[in-house]
Amino acid sequence: MMPMTQPLKWMSLVKVSTLLLLAAVAGCGGGGGEETPNTPPSCLVREATIPVTTVDEQGGSASLAFTVSLERCRVVSIATGGTYSLALLSDGTAASWGFNGEGQLGDGTTTVRATPVEVSGLTGVTALAGGINHSLALRNDGTVWAWGSNKEGQLGDGTITQRLIPVQVPGLANITALSAGGDFSVALRNDGTVWAWGSNSVGQLGDGTTTQRSTPVQVPGLTGVTALSAGGSSVLALRNDGTVWAWGSNGLGQLGDGTTPQRPTPAQVPGLTGVTAVVMGANHALARRNDGTVWGWGNNYRGQLGDEDDTSPRSPRQVPGLEGITSVAVGYQHSLALRSDGTVWAWGTNSEGQLGSSTLIRSPTPVQLPELTGVSAIASSSHCLALLQDGTLRAWGSNNDGQLGNGTTNQRFTPVRVSGLTGGRAAAAAGYFSVALRSDGTLWSWGSNREGQLGNEHATHRPTPLQVPGLTGISAFSAGFYHSLAVLGDGTVRAWGSHDIGQLGDGSPMGGTRPTPVPVSGLTGVTTVAAGHSHSLALRNDGTVWAWGGNHEGQLGIGLGDSSSTPVQVLAPSGFTALAAGTFRSLALRNDGTVWAWGEAASNIPAQVSGLSGITALSMTSQHALAVRHNGTVWAWGNNFQGQLGNGRTSSYEEPAQVPGLTGMTAVAAGYSHSLALRDDGTVWAWGANFIGQLGDGSTTPRLTPIQVPGLTRITAISTGFLHSLALRDDGTLWAWGYNTDGQLGDGTSGAYPTPSPVLRL
């Protein structure tokens, strides 16, 4: 029987731990009987683990650890640099993330950060600004601090030395506002004067010269200024009488004075009065007037002035259709506006998704960002930030350097877990999308849906898995380039996606798409399927193979002839056990271990592949084919221009040859120009093209011979798409890497991030 002291000890522990837990949450302090400084938690900490130990009268002890969520500091303002981001937190500290090659994140390193880190040693901050590669902070004592690149003296400390942590700009006091240009800086004093330093090649310092300055100099003849905005090499200043003044580069009319020569001293922008806010971009400018209208001038090649007139005006003209605007922001070739109702409007170029419209199509007129409301502030560069009224951040646009702060970058060079998908049983990577079968018999898809291949008529591109509606009890499936197939428990087949050459097999006229599953006509007793580029294959339980869709290369195995929108039997013997479909050709594995091929670069009726026997698994793409023999070796043939045959060369082979160095293999997967193999120890091996990270080794270096994919163990199945890869673990989780423009990795992101995404840890 347990002594009575033991329950008492645990009861005591609970009481003590509760008190310590309350103290810890209040001040992040610990127990142990020692006094702990009541230090507020860091704004970037989301959880804390509190260990607690209690000792009873008899010397017995017990320990527990509590994990508690800590209240995070709110974001109160935001700023963007070239390819990085800054956030001011409510405790007066600053956070940064994105590109850091010049130390512009201020964390003491040059390491790129895909999630926010604290700017070192800064407190009492009231404002932030980001240039291309340097950053500025204004403290509540009126001093200015700078860090990052200093090649042009833009840090203002009297040197051209790079700074990885903030340094004070000497000689500046009583500053109330600041702005960072491309490689120069400007600051506003409480007496309404403007001070500038850094590059001055086109007169952007406004001092009447083109001399570089590594310490601040006053912009002469300018007083009564209330706000500043520095762009690439130009500056705008707003005076207390509502007029706007400009200087610096003017090649595209961005100074708004009706001319194009550069100006080394301030000149008034004619025709603008009642202005309350100004922003200067690389080559265009916006101004908000006190009536809530927006006016723009300068470069308009991408519609960034929002008026459908692609000429570049040298003087201000109104952006039509915008009213009730409270603030504006500009990127390189796009613009944003925040309305008084908390909505955000965008226009201009959209090559990186910076308009937040779920497409990459530019807009010469303002369009509202869908599902983004309650916004209190905006900022923009090549990417965009929005601060919500609840203190959270949303980000979208370019993310090459992690500047969106969501823990990712453009593509995936190492495996990442697919968001929101558990209980996985099988997976298939297709052209630009992915499909997974869960253990409950439901099918889930994500990635590109331009031809309806995700099976959900309401879906556009999906960066996270979405269930294919109306399908249950799935036993097998396959994903082609633009269409998908699934076998139901009763042996019938469903198909969806592109039907341009009859590849859905439902007997309907060729052409168009089917965004939801339709029955494949006349097929029963099917055990597995394979989807190619524009044709489909099915294996029946009697060992026969059936095909439908395009046949211009003989890929249906019935001889050259017309395409078919209903299944036809392949002219081959029976006894087949597995199938693979490439772009315009087909493979089938017989129960005697032989492989049969037909279609492009092969016979238009099935013929045995010479030199192959004892085969247990196979895979095919448009360029090459792979097969596993019963002894665990891998054999490859076809195109080898990217080393996808794994033999250390780049010359192609029409006949199968062994991939050297691979043993114990159980499965293979062929991508467009890369290959994967699964070993019996649960590891994955990859070779071939790697320009988009499809080999998963953390690099973009091509591999002519197999290498192990690091960090992947306990894998049970693999699949490859056009330029991405999938791996299923024995715990039912799915892992993905490679190309991600259409969200085919399923981690909630895409290459261009065309819709707002939460910034992690803020």
Side-chain angles (χ1 to χ4, degrees), residues 66-87:
F66 295 86
T67 300
V68 295
S69 296
L70 300 175
E71 182 178 354
R72 293 170 290 167
C73 295
R74 290 172 59 94
V75 177
V76 295
S77 69
I78 49 179
T80 54
T83 54
Y84 69 101
S85 304
L86 299 168

Side-chain angles (χ1 to χ4, degrees), residues 278-354:
V278 290
V279 286
M280 174 65 79
N283 294 301
H284 79 288
L286 297 178
R288 175 197 176 273
R289 291 188 62 188
N290 53 16
D291 60 1
T293 59
V294 177
W295 297 68
W297 61 94
N299 187 5
N300 196 31
Y301 294 161
R302 295 292 179 179
Q304 56 263 53
L305 298 187
D307 59 1
E308 291 192 286
D309 184 343
D310 60 4
T311 61
S312 297
R314 300 173 185 176
S315 56
R317 63 190 186 199
Q318 186 175 349
V319 179
L322 283 183
E323 57 184 20
I325 301 302
T326 59
S327 66
V328 284
V330 294
Y332 179 61
Q333 291 180 329
H334 71 282
S335 305
L336 299 179
L338 174 62
R339 283 189 61 181
S340 56
D341 60 1
T343 59
V344 177
W345 298 70
W347 60 97
T349 191
N350 199 26
S351 58
E352 296 287 346
Q354 51 266 63

Side-chain angles (χ1 to χ4, degrees), residues 509-742:
M510 299 178 188
T513 64
R514 310 288 186 269
T516 56
V518 296
V520 175
S521 177
L523 269 187
T524 59
V526 175
T527 59
T528 192
V529 285
H533 182 277
S534 54
H535 76 292
S536 304
L537 303 175
L539 176 64
R540 292 188 61 190
N541 52 17
D542 60 1
T544 59
V545 179
W546 296 69
W548 61 96
N551 194 37
H552 57 286
E553 295 286 348
Q555 60 263 48
L556 298 190
I558 57 174
L560 285 175
D562 293 337
S563 301
S564 176
S565 62
T566 56
V568 293
Q569 186 172 350
V570 175
L571 301 177
S574 59
F576 287 98
T577 60
L579 301 170
T583 302
F584 303 122
R585 53 182 171 169
S586 307
L587 288 181
L589 173 63
R590 285 192 73 194
N591 51 16
D592 61 0
T594 59
V595 176
W596 296 64
W598 61 96
E600 181 186 33
S603 171
N604 53 42
I605 58 174
Q608 185 176 341
V609 178
S610 61
L612 277 184
S613 60
I615 301 302
T616 60
L618 47 79
S619 181
M620 168 182 280
T621 185
S622 62
Q623 302 290 333
H624 69 294
L626 303 172
V628 181
R629 290 192 65 192
H630 60 80
N631 60 1
T633 59
V634 175
W635 296 67
W637 66 101
N639 199 320
N640 196 32
F641 66 102
Q642 294 284 352
Q644 58 262 51
L645 301 188
N647 58 11
R649 305 180 180 90
T650 55
S651 52
S652 300
Y653 293 83
E654 295 182 1
E655 296 185 355
Q658 185 175 346
V659 179
L662 287 183
T663 58
M665 298 298 158
T666 60
V668 284
Y672 173 69
S673 54
H674 76 289
S675 304
L676 299 182
L678 174 62
R679 285 190 64 179
D680 52 15
D681 62 359
T683 59
V684 177
W685 297 70
W687 61 97
N690 197 28
F691 53 88
I692 209 72
Q694 58 263 54
L695 300 188
D697 66 344
S699 77
T700 55
T701 303
R703 308 292 183 178
L704 303 184
T705 56
I707 59 165
Q708 185 176 346
V709 179
L712 277 186
T713 58
R714 298 162 45 202
I715 301 302
T716 60
I718 53 176
S719 183
T720 53
F722 196 64
L723 296 169
H724 74 290
S725 307
L726 299 178
L728 178 65
R729 284 186 64 179
D730 59 8
D731 60 2
T733 59
L734 193 60
W735 298 75
W737 60 98
Y739 196 52
N740 196 31
T741 294
D742 293 301

Side-chain angles (χ1 to χ4, degrees), residues 25-109:
V25 174
C28 215
E34 298 180 3
E35 292 188 5
T36 306
N38 191 0
T39 303
S42 166
C43 281
L44 298 182
V45 176
R46 300 183 67 178
E47 291 184 338
T49 300
I50 312 299
V52 180
T53 301
T54 186
V55 181
D56 63 17
E57 300 83 359
Q58 299 179 359
S61 64
S63 299
L64 284 178
F66 295 86
T67 300
V68 295
S69 296
L70 300 175
E71 182 178 354
R72 293 170 290 167
C73 295
R74 290 172 59 94
V75 177
V76 295
S77 69
I78 49 179
T80 54
T83 54
Y84 69 101
S85 304
L86 299 168
L88 173 60
L89 306 181
S90 56
D91 66 347
T93 62
S96 58
W97 60 96
F99 184 64
N100 197 27
E102 297 287 343
Q104 57 265 54
L105 300 189
D107 66 344
T109 76

Side-chain angles (χ1 to χ4, degrees), residues 40 408 438 597 618 761:
T408 71
R438 289 188 59 182
L618 47 79
R761 302 178 63 195

